Amino acid sequence: MSPEIRYSPFDIARALAGVDSRVRTPTPEQALIIAAPLEPSVVIAGAGSGKTETMSARVLYLVANGLVEPSEVLGLTFTRKAAGELSLRIRGRLRQLRAAGLLPKNISINAPVMTYHSYAGRLLSEHSIRYGIDSSDEPLGDAAIWQMAADLVSNWPDDDFSSESALTTVIKDVIGLTSLMLEHQCSSEQIINETEKVLGLIGQMGEKSNDVVRRVQKVLTQRISILPMVEEFISRRRRDGLLTFDDQMSLAADISMGFPDVVELERGRYKVVLLDEYQDTSQAQVRMLSTLFGAGHPVMAVGDPCQAIYTWRGASAGTIGAFAANFPKVDGQTGPLLFSLSTTFRNDRVILELANQISGEIRETSPVQVQPLVARDDAGVGELACGIFETIETEAIAISEYFSNLWFSPERMTLPENKRSSFAVLVRKRSQIPEIEIALRTANIPVEVLGVGGLIHVAEVADVITLMRVVTDPEAGASLMRHLTGPRMNLGAADIAALGRFSRKRTEETNFTSKGLIAKIAAGNPLREEADDQFLGSLIDSLDEVSMAERSEFSPTGFARLVHFAADLRRLRSRAGGPLTDLISQIEEYLCLDVEVMLRDGTQNGRRHLDRFIDEASKFSRSGGTITEFLTWLDVASSEEGGLKSAAPEVRRDVVQILTIHTAKGAEWDIVAIPGLAAGTFPG
């Protein structure tokens, strides 16, 4: 041991244990990492292996031995929650170190811990003037990005542009291609050159081509066609100072690569760097960090290839394998490059055995050696229950029955709330959520659905959204049927059939009276088809005139309900031109949802889904979005399985939380159900 090292990891742990009895003695694996030389190194940390405690102990070791001060250690991670937890852990341990007499009182205990994006934003705010960019504002959220792209595509001035895709698909393609170009620092010219090479080869195939090849050809051609939109999208954001996370990261990478004085400044400011969740870093992040802190700087990256799930946003499990190339050691640095944390403190034994079995294939193909996880010495046996079900509904009921036995068990109910077990249902598809929520509520178990996409499927929120569609879109027949057959209207099949007959009769009469007008359109005119469509009518339009229908076709009660409903829709439609949140509040009041959810879930939890939905609408409307744009964006939020950002979940013990697998990353629950273990659903 070097003479300047006064305290070993075990010495520090013993000193801290005298202040806090919960402090564990580090495992041999942890001790090696804590006392690793000040050189580049990478730690393969399995799930629940104590990486946060190990990283904070690493800081304590360096500070206690006088190698650095806390302010000279930079910690980076992905979410604000993870950054907050690591920061609190380090500050708490440093206070205990001071109480144990191993840290002078005049040394600050504040170590900078932030997210990767926050660090890029800070770097950009200090140096963006070099590019003539104002980056003082918060980055744009998903809704604002969608609105800006929708405005660009909808009002694209090139009359020659054409696409076989729907408008929403083009908008998504523009957003996606923009993100990838910024991520990988590709220019339009590079994309065109590489794409034309492939198109040239496809063109040579002639009759050997097939449907798959033709689809590839179509995609590549469309990609070239939207490149001008992508360039304008990037240019407009930077010109207006409205940057996204992708913009910030790309510009921060450019700054670090283009200005050596920035590199010198950051390396002098932070003598040690800790990179958390390194397997999920993107190409732009690696480019920025390796430029700033490469060439032998003491960087310790912590990650696990088995937990790399963010390939859709530019991450790659191979990032860890390329660590040595991006952060090479220099002459004289001979310490170990690779460390492992393989003892998990989170899982019971049967859960761990299953996890190791499932992850075996990933470990075999990993670019670095990954050890199977080992249970802690005092780990419990655990419980693993499996079932085969014919329908989603029966599976949901089985989950509720399994949870009920544990949720209402005497052992759990006698504990204080903060000591009770936590429950979660992790789904692969958001369409699974409604049945599971209904089953749990039927069993009198409180439920919370997390994520914007999941929120859309909650019953009371779905009622608001579908009525918004009815009010704003005359073709939203499916949404209308939800309300006609719902508990408020409760129409029978005979009255719905009568409304359908009235709609068809009205359409035929309208088409007949308009026949002369249509006949005036020149034969062969491409507008003829559109003119015909104008007279097809819709069920919603027919409902608006239902008072003119033959009453004898309907039941007296059904006819009265339809007439009143049509009047209510006209009143709500008159509010559609106002603020988005006002319309939502009007619909909520009309449907009496406030009272309904409070009776169902109580005053404390009843409104939580409605309030979160109004918050999302408020964010969207602040950017100037219309009701139609908001509904379109909700469609995207519902269809994307992980493409939309959401905050890290806060684990609660007073409700069963339902969320997607992607959203759940990094969170811990005591009891978890995973439905849909079927081909085509999960694993996917």
Side-chain angles (χ1 to χ4, degrees), residues 105-399:
K105 292 184 178 181
N106 61 342
I107 292 181
S108 169
I109 60 171
N110 290 319
V113 180
M114 60 190 85
T115 67
Y116 287 101
H117 278 118
S118 295
Y119 179 68
R122 199 269 297 163
L123 198 70
L124 191 59
S125 67
E126 293 181 0
H127 302 286
S128 61
I129 191 65
R130 299 172 188 253
Y131 284 121
I133 295 172
D134 180 11
S135 64
S136 57
D137 294 333
E138 281 288 309
L140 296 176
D142 292 303
I145 294 170
W146 173 266
Q147 285 174 254
M148 186 179 289
D151 177 68
L152 175 75
V153 175
S154 302
N155 299 294
W156 188 242
D158 185 0
D159 295 334
D160 294 330
F161 174 78
S162 64
S163 174
E164 297 177 25
S165 302
L167 175 64
T168 54
T169 302
V170 177
I171 294 169
K172 284 170 27 178
D173 288 345
V174 168
I175 294 172
L177 185 55
T178 300
S179 178
L180 289 171
M181 285 176 63
L182 292 171
E183 181 64 49
H184 295 280
Q185 294 286 284
C186 293
S187 66
S188 294
E189 291 75 18
Q190 288 174 308
I191 293 176
I192 291 172
N193 289 338
E194 294 301 317
T195 302
E196 286 182 342
K197 291 178 185 177
V198 180
L199 288 174
L201 293 173
I202 291 175
Q204 296 174 16
M205 296 180 68
E207 296 180 356
K208 296 180 180 178
S209 179
N210 56 29
D211 289 341
V212 174
V213 174
R214 283 189 286 273
R215 281 199 297 271
V216 171
Q217 185 179 31
K218 176 184 173 182
V219 169
L220 295 179
T221 304
Q222 289 290 97
R223 181 180 297 167
I224 291 177
S225 71
I226 66 171
L227 280 172
M229 291 183 181
V230 171
E231 289 184 335
E232 174 59 24
F233 192 36
I234 296 172
S235 175
R236 183 179 297 184
R237 291 186 331 208
R238 295 186 177 180
R239 183 174 63 246
D240 297 339
L242 301 173
L243 303 181
T244 67
F245 285 116
D246 294 323
D247 291 317
Q248 286 191 343
M249 192 58 67
S250 178
L251 287 168
D254 289 344
I255 287 171
S256 62
M257 296 175 71
F259 301 97
D261 58 313
V262 174
V263 176
E264 186 177 349
L265 180 66
E266 293 301 299
R267 290 168 74 96
R269 179 181 289 173
Y270 303 117
K271 295 182 179 178
V272 173
V273 179
L274 301 174
L275 305 178
D276 189 21
E277 300 283 5
Y278 187 70
Q279 79 281 348
D280 287 329
T281 50
S282 64
Q283 295 301 311
Q285 290 166 339
V286 171
R287 191 165 51 248
M288 175 187 72
L289 294 168
S290 62
T291 303
L292 293 174
F293 303 114
H297 199 72
V299 174
M300 179 174 280
V302 184
D304 180 7
C306 293
Q307 298 183 60
I309 66 169
Y310 291 130
T311 53
W312 48 267
R313 71 179 185 194
S316 169
T319 304
I320 289 183
F323 178 85
N326 292 314
F327 298 90
K329 291 179 182 285
V330 295
D331 292 342
Q333 293 183 337
T334 58
L337 173 69
L338 184 66
F339 297 91
S340 291
L341 285 174
S342 58
T343 300
T344 177
F345 300 93
R346 179 183 302 169
N347 301 117
D348 289 333
R349 296 185 186 278
V350 294
I351 309 296
L352 195 57
E353 288 171 8
L354 177 62
N356 280 332
Q357 185 174 341
I358 292 173
S359 62
E361 184 178 345
I362 303 174
R363 290 197 306 274
E364 291 173 3
T365 58
S366 170
V368 295
Q369 186 177 7
V370 180
Q371 300 293 336
L373 289 172
V374 179
R376 65 190 189 280
D377 292 337
D378 59 344
V381 176
E383 180 174 293
L384 185 65
C386 304
I388 300 175
F389 309 97
E390 292 183 353
T391 65
I392 294 175
E393 183 181 4
T394 54
E395 182 178 46
I397 293 171
I399 290 172

Side-chain angles (χ1 to χ4, degrees), residues 557-576:
T557 303
F559 186 77
R561 288 178 182 175
L562 285 169
V563 171
H564 283 113
F565 187 42
D568 291 336
L569 289 179
R570 283 193 292 272
R571 179 177 58 81
L572 290 171
R573 206 169 280 126
S574 69
R575 308 287 201 279

Side-chain angles (χ1 to χ4, degrees), residues 365-434:
T365 58
S366 170
V368 295
Q369 186 177 7
V370 180
Q371 300 293 336
L373 289 172
V374 179
R376 65 190 189 280
D377 292 337
D378 59 344
V381 176
E383 180 174 293
L384 185 65
C386 304
I388 300 175
F389 309 97
E390 292 183 353
T391 65
I392 294 175
E393 183 181 4
T394 54
E395 182 178 46
I397 293 171
I399 290 172
S400 70
E401 291 174 349
Y402 182 80
F403 276 14
S404 290
N405 293 331
L406 300 170
W407 183 273
F408 296 111
S409 67
E411 295 82 3
R412 182 179 185 276
M413 300 306 290
T414 54
L415 293 172
E417 191 172 275
N418 63 345
K419 299 290 185 182
R420 294 178 181 178
S421 301
S422 56
F423 290 70
V425 183
L426 308 183
V427 300
R428 180 63 182 87
K429 296 179 179 178
R430 296 186 180 103
S431 57
Q432 299 169 278
I433 291 175

